[in-house]
């Protein structure tokens, strides 16, 4: 039963690694891997010397870290609030509503956000107009683009993460709450001294494992929302590699940038699993 999966992994994950040699060559498709001239570490030297490249790396780290932190805090807070609702019909309705965006692709959501955030007739700017606020070009302003990207990503993803924490809450022994009530503990104190400590192992695991995605700022989302006006604050490694490699045809430098991201991501994944095993006794093998 494992054979098809192993073959798939080898063909699409390991064999393509031979193409990493492009990072050390001035690759020309008509010359092939063997005949393209060798340039050594030239692409990597340019990667760390040109300020525009460093800005792309900075953008990636800022966006991904903020997504990681808020993507951990928001689902936990929402799960705690949702857990306080006693009417199951109302609770399930809200849960379904916040979970639905997770199933929509960024192609669809990108079109929706473009219409909603448009400075000319967009729903959000029309609402702000009632308070006398001038239209804001959310997706064309370097000031507003990052917050828009981060908030929209949290809105799309937090419903899925909430389910994980709700499952954890459902597994907490009710007798702990009953004993706390007999001792006169309020709901706030029960949350602080029972709920959060019982959730801490899964919070640690989810947080640590997210470190492996520290340089994945979300290609699908950024690609569908950004434009040349916001390259300064919105361009990330994945979109930069796409433009340089596939659009401009500089395959060597694009591969070097992608390889740098993969190496850093691999290091964080190893560290994350070590920390998960140490602090939460979590391991795959």
């Amino acid at each position: 039963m494992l054979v098809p999966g192993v073959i798939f992994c080898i063909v699409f994950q390991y064999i393509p690694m031979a193409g990493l040699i492009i990072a050390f060559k001035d690759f020309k498709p008509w010359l092939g891997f063997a005949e393209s001239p060798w340039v050594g570490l030239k692409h990597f030297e340019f990667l760390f010397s040109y300020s525009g490249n460093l800005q792309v790396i900075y953008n990636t780290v800022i966006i991904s870290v903020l997504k990681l932190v808020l993507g951990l805090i928001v689902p936990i807070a929402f799960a705690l609030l949702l857990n306080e609702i006693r009417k199951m019909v109302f609770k399930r309705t809200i849960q379904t509503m916040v979970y639905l965006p997770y199933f929509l692709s960024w192609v669809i959501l990108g079109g929706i956000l473009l219409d909603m955030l448009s400075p000319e007739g967009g729903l959000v700017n029309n609402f702000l107009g009632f308070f006398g606020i001038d239209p804001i070009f959310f997706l064309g302003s370097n000031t507003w683009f990052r917050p828009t990207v981060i908030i929209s990503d949290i809105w799309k993803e937090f419903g899925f993460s909430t389910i994980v924490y709700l499952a954890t809450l459902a597994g907490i022994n009710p007798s702990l709450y009953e004993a706390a009530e007999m001792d006169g503990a309020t709901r706030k104190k029960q949350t602080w001294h029972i709920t959060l400590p019982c959730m801490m192992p899964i919070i640690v695991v989810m947080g640590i494992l997210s470190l492996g995605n520290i340089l994945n700022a979300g290609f699908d989302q950024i690609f569908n929302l950004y434009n040349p006006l916001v390259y300064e604050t919105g361009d990330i490694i994945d979109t930069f590699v796409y433009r340089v490699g596939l659009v401009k045809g500089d395959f060597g430098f694009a591969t070097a940038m992608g390889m740098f991201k993969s190496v850093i991501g691999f290091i964080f994944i190893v560290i994350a699993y070590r920390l998960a095993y140490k602090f939460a006794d979590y391991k795959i093998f």
Side-chain angles (χ1 to χ4, degrees):
M1 293 177 66
L2 286 174
V3 171
V6 172
I7 293 175
F8 180 88
C9 188
I10 292 173
V11 171
F12 291 100
Q13 302 292 334
Y14 288 95
I15 293 179
M17 285 186 181
L20 292 176
I21 194 175
I22 298 176
F24 305 96
K25 289 196 169 194
D26 184 12
F27 180 71
K28 307 295 183 184
W30 56 89
L31 295 177
F33 292 113
E35 299 299 327
S36 295
W38 184 270
V39 296
L41 299 176
K42 175 184 175 181
H43 297 309
F44 292 95
E45 292 173 356
F46 179 67
L47 170 62
F48 295 107
S49 61
Y50 180 54
S51 59
N53 303 333
L54 298 178
Q55 181 65 38
V56 169
I57 296 173
Y58 175 77
N59 293 341
T60 305
V61 172
I62 289 295
I63 293 174
S64 59
V65 167
L66 289 175
K67 283 184 177 181
L68 188 153
V69 173
L70 293 177
L72 192 66
I73 295 174
V74 173
I76 294 172
F78 187 77
L80 291 174
L81 293 173
L82 199 61
N83 192 55
E84 294 299 318
I85 299 176
R86 293 292 173 256
K87 292 185 177 181
M88 293 304 297
V89 175
F90 185 56
K91 180 177 181 180
R92 290 173 180 173
T93 301
I94 295 178
Q95 186 175 340
T96 301
M97 291 175 61
V98 300
Y99 190 44
L100 283 177
Y102 178 80
F103 294 99
L104 299 178
S105 71
W106 275 113
V107 176
I108 298 173
L109 289 180
I112 294 174
L113 288 174
L114 286 172
D115 289 335
M116 290 183 61
L117 301 177
S118 172
E120 299 179 357
L123 181 64
V124 175
N125 277 301
N126 284 340
F127 177 76
L128 295 176
F130 288 119
F131 300 95
I133 301 175
D134 294 332
I136 300 173
F137 196 1
F138 290 98
L139 299 179
S141 167
N142 283 306
T143 302
W144 288 99
F145 185 77
R146 277 185 196 158
T148 302
V149 165
I150 293 167
I151 292 172
S152 60
D153 181 78
I154 300 302
W155 166 67
K156 180 181 186 297
E157 302 291 338
F158 86 96
F160 177 79
S161 300
T162 299
I163 292 179
V164 177
Y165 297 115
L166 286 175
T168 304
L169 291 171
I172 299 177
N173 191 344
S175 62
L176 296 175
Y177 294 106
E178 294 172 0
E181 288 180 2
M182 292 180 65
D183 289 337
T186 61
R187 294 297 298 177
K188 182 179 178 180
K189 289 186 177 180
Q190 291 176 37
T191 300
W192 186 257
H193 295 287
I194 298 176
T195 307
L196 286 176
C198 290
M199 293 177 66
M200 195 54 62
I202 191 63
I203 293 175
V204 171
V205 170
M206 296 288 285
I208 291 176
L209 294 184
S210 297
L211 290 176
N213 294 318
I214 196 66
L215 291 183
N216 288 330
F219 172 79
D220 292 345
Q221 180 191 21
I222 302 294
F223 183 75
N224 283 284
L225 295 179
Y226 85 150
N227 58 76
L229 295 175
V230 292
Y231 280 174
E232 181 182 345
T233 57
D235 199 16
I236 60 174
I237 292 177
D238 291 333
T239 54
F240 183 74
V241 168
Y242 166 79
R243 290 202 320 277
V244 172
L246 295 180
V247 177
K248 296 183 179 179
D250 191 349
F251 301 104
F253 178 70
T255 304
M257 179 72 96
M259 185 177 179
F260 163 75
K261 176 194 169 185
S262 298
V263 171
I264 298 300
F266 175 75
I267 293 173
F268 272 103
I269 288 173
V270 173
I271 294 174
Y273 275 104
R274 292 286 185 181
L275 292 174
Y277 177 68
K278 180 177 181 180
F279 293 104
D281 197 26
Y282 174 87
K283 60 182 179 179
I284 297 178
F285 303 107

